[in-house]
Structure formats: C-alpha cells, structure tokens
Amino acid sequence: QLAKVHACIREMSKESGYTFDEMKVIVKQASGLEDKSFADCSKTELVLAIEACIQIGREQFNLNLG
C-alpha cells in the first residue's frame, strides 16, 4: 500500500507541477496524517492516504488513480 501511495503522489506531482515532497504534504494534510511518516502508518491510515490521492487526483487534476 505504501508503494501505491508513492506511485499516486508521483503521478499527481508530474501532472501538477508540484514536487513529489510538496504533493506528499498535500496528501498528508488531506488524509489527516500531516504529523506522521507514511512508513509508520497502519494499513488503515494508508488506505486513507490512497483515498485522498484518488480524490485529489480526480477533483484537481482530472486523473483516474483508482
């Protein structure tokens, strides 16, 4: 799941002009994980991050990351 989060962030950063790290912060804020490393997240928290990626990708960049 961590690889999926990183792949989604990488794809959105390519489309948006944000760096990978900037996009990672946006996803963490959207999923309520801003104070946590993705590596330390539970499976449930990673699912929240993936859902945030899918929503941001769809709404802001017209990407289908699901």
Side-chain angles (χ1 to χ4, degrees):
Q1 285 176 319
L2 182 57
K4 169 88 172 162
V5 172
H6 283 159
C8 289
I9 291 171
R10 195 170 296 109
E11 190 64 32
M12 287 191 296
S13 66
K14 282 194 277 187
E15 286 294 317
S16 67
Y18 287 110
T19 66
F20 179 85
D21 288 333
E22 290 168 334
M23 186 55 66
K24 187 161 60 170
V25 170
I26 292 168
V27 171
K28 283 184 177 187
Q29 289 172 338
S31 56
L33 301 169
E34 54 269 311
D35 296 332
K36 220 168 182 187
S37 167
F38 284 135
D40 296 331
C41 288
S42 67
K43 286 183 181 184
T44 303
E45 289 168 326
L46 288 174
V47 167
L48 291 174
I50 292 168
E51 288 173 355
C53 287
I54 291 168
Q55 183 176 359
I56 292 167
R58 182 179 54 242
E59 292 177 0
Q60 295 185 23
F61 309 116
N62 201 29
L63 292 172
N64 182 7
L65 300 172

